[in-house]
């Protein structure tokens, strides 16, 4: 499928790595957390510790430092949380309304890892999203390409990451903007960054849907293009 003009412009940009540039692309390995990955069948994906163990083993086996992936993955992990979950009755009536399709790209690496701004921008908003299974501490940056405003979201951060921010504060490409949080603060996940590109923020502040249902996926696919167009992993 041909890229839209905005997607082509994203792809043309030279972004700073989200994780320190000393971690080379050779140290990244794809990770499949979809319902189609048979290796996950014996793993209790509702447990952040069990999932972290699986991811650490995946990194070790592949001699890698960062696991990445997840854009438009259909995942079972969200079934553990009432924030995403529907009752069995609701699911049987409206299966397309179950939120289980991931809209960002995840980078799985240990808590405390520094996160850097990929582009120039400014602080649009920030918030601690405390629902079980939610983002936890979250930052949204505002950017522009040829006067076109768009946004990048950083979820599952440490509390310290949002403790001294100011809306409108300028951010330069390559600035350290955050560190990753532990499961105790990040929504109860194995430590990772949820990175998402958003064209229209729709009046959200410090938050934006990171998981869609089938019913709304065509809108979100357009409004939240593939982050790897920018990251080039």
């Amino acid at each position: 499928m041909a890229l839209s003009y905005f997607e082509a412009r994203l792809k043309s940009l030279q972004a700073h790595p989200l994780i320190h540039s000393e971690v080379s692309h050779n140290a990244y390995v794809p990770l499949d957390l979809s319902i189609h990955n048979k290796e996950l069948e014996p793993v209790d994906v509702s447990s952040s510790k069990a999932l972290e163990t699986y991811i650490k083993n995946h990194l070790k086996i592949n001699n890698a430092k960062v696991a990445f992936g997840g854009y438009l993955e259909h995942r079972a992990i969200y079934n553990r949380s009432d924030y995403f979950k529907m009752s069995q009755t609701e699911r049987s009536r409206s299966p397309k309304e179950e939120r289980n399709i991931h809209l960002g790209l995840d980078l799985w690496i240990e808590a405390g890892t520094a996160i850097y701004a990929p582009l120039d921008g400014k602080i649009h908003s920030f918030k601690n999203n405390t629902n079980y299974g939610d983002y936890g501490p979250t930052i949204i940056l505002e950017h522009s390409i040829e006067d076109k405003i768009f946004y990048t979201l950083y979820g599952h951060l440490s509390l310290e990451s949002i403790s001294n921010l100011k809306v409108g504060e300028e951010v330069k490409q390559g600035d350290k903007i955050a560190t990753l949080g532990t499961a105790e603060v990040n929504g109860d996940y194995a430590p990772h960054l949820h990175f998402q590109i958003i064209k229209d923020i729709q009046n959200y502040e410090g938050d934006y849907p990171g998981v869609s249902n089938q019913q709304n996926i065509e809108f979100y696919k357009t409004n939240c293009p593939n982050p790897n167009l920018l990251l080039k992993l």
Side-chain angles (χ1 to χ4, degrees):
M1 183 181 296
L3 297 179
S4 69
Y5 179 76
F6 178 74
E7 290 172 328
R9 291 294 291 119
L10 271 181
K11 189 174 182 180
S12 73
L13 297 175
Q14 296 298 313
H16 189 281
L18 296 177
I19 293 171
H20 202 285
S21 56
E22 290 180 359
V23 181
S24 71
H25 277 199
N26 293 333
Y28 287 71
V29 63
L31 176 67
D32 180 2
L33 293 181
S34 76
I35 59 173
H36 307 293
N37 184 358
K38 299 298 184 182
E39 287 185 2
L40 287 176
E41 290 181 356
V43 179
D44 179 7
V45 294
S46 68
S47 165
S48 57
K49 290 186 178 180
L51 189 57
E52 184 172 4
T53 298
Y54 173 81
I55 293 168
K56 283 183 175 180
N57 287 338
H58 182 73
L59 290 170
K60 184 177 180 180
I61 290 168
N62 289 280
N63 193 29
K65 293 183 178 180
V66 186
F68 73 95
Y71 181 64
L72 299 186
E73 268 188 355
H74 183 177
R75 293 175 170 178
I77 188 172
Y78 306 114
N79 293 339
R80 67 188 183 138
S81 172
D82 289 340
Y83 185 59
F84 301 102
K85 194 175 181 181
M86 303 170 71
S87 71
Q88 197 68 40
T89 301
E90 289 173 326
R91 189 180 297 115
S92 63
R93 290 175 181 168
S94 306
K96 289 188 176 182
E97 293 183 13
E98 182 91 2
R99 292 175 62 204
N100 49 28
I101 303 172
H102 190 248
L103 298 173
L105 185 145
D106 288 332
L107 298 178
W108 302 85
I109 191 172
E110 64 265 17
T113 297
I115 302 300
Y116 298 87
L119 304 167
D120 290 345
K122 64 181 180 180
I123 304 292
H124 170 269
S125 53
F126 54 94
K127 180 182 176 185
N128 188 7
N129 297 285
T130 57
N131 292 300
Y132 177 60
D134 208 334
Y135 290 128
T138 307
I139 296 172
I140 296 177
L141 300 184
E142 180 180 317
H143 314 276
S144 64
I145 305 177
E146 298 175 356
D147 297 327
K148 166 66 176 175
I149 302 296
F150 70 101
Y151 307 85
T152 52
L153 181 150
Y154 308 79
H156 310 299
L157 307 176
S158 65
L159 286 170
E160 293 77 13
S161 299
I162 61 172
S163 61
N164 293 302
L165 296 183
K166 294 180 180 178
V167 171
E169 185 176 0
E170 186 175 324
V171 173
K172 290 293 187 184
Q173 185 180 55
D175 283 353
K176 177 182 172 181
I177 58 170
T179 56
L180 294 185
T182 62
E184 287 74 20
V185 301
N186 77 359
D188 192 44
Y189 290 98
H192 72 289
L193 175 73
H194 174 100
F195 177 71
Q196 188 168 331
I197 297 171
I198 305 161
K199 291 166 66 177
D200 179 2
I201 201 71
Q202 299 176 279
N203 297 317
Y204 281 87
E205 293 187 356
D207 189 18
Y208 191 82
V211 182
S212 176
N213 55 30
Q214 293 180 38
Q215 187 170 304
N216 297 321
I217 191 60
E218 291 306 316
F219 166 76
Y220 284 115
K221 282 168 66 175
T222 300
N223 201 45
C224 301
N226 190 344
N228 210 27
L229 291 170
L230 181 66
L231 300 183
K232 302 174 180 65
L233 299 176

